[in-house]
Amino acid sequence: MTQYAILIFEREAEGGQTAELPPEIIAAHEALPGRIVEKGGKELGGIALEPSATATTIRGDLVTDGPFIETKEALAGVFVIEARDLDHAIELAALTPIVSGGVEVRPLVGLDFSGLTS
């Protein structure tokens, strides 16, 4: 199966801080790996990111505090799945609970994260 990165974007509170997630969204994220398995995929791992205000951006020789792109939605986390094809990956990514944002699906090139799972 092909591996895909699912990038989670959420709206941040003013000042680039992460808004508190409702308990039902947290519970839905905890249940997500099982739901992906039920649909024939596999989650290989994932991470949540600190708010964009904690980011440092490097562009050439310039290092600046904060995210490079000004936006109301920020990258909040990433997880990697295995899916049969892009359509299947989109179906699985659509299961991701989001408060006010979206997800992006990208195929992975030349990386194998399957050995990272237990």
Side-chain angles (χ1 to χ4, degrees):
M1 291 208 299
T2 305
Q3 294 180 351
Y4 295 87
I6 310 302
L7 295 89
I8 303 168
F9 292 89
E10 277 287 7
R11 184 170 297 273
E12 289 188 313
E14 196 166 318
Q17 297 301 310
T18 301
E20 192 67 33
L21 291 176
E24 63 273 11
I25 294 294
I26 293 170
H29 274 288
E30 291 169 351
L32 187 57
R35 295 184 67 207
I36 288 173
V37 168
E38 289 171 4
K39 300 248 181 209
K42 181 178 181 182
E43 183 177 330
L44 300 177
I47 55 171
L49 301 175
E50 292 290 339
S52 66
T54 65
T56 301
T57 300
I58 303 166
R59 234 175 129 70
D61 293 334
L62 181 63
V63 178
T64 58
D65 291 335
F68 178 72
I69 298 173
E70 293 294 325
T71 179
K72 292 184 188 264
E73 294 175 358
L75 184 62
V78 177
F79 63 100
V80 177
I81 64 169
E82 286 185 337
R84 292 184 296 273
D85 54 30
L86 179 59
D87 289 336
H88 188 219
I90 291 168
E91 175 188 350
L92 300 176
L95 300 172
T96 307
I98 298 295
V99 176
S100 179
V103 298
E104 181 178 320
V105 178
R106 287 201 197 172
L108 296 180
V109 178
L111 299 174
D112 183 4
F113 289 97
S114 59
L116 298 178
T117 61
S118 53

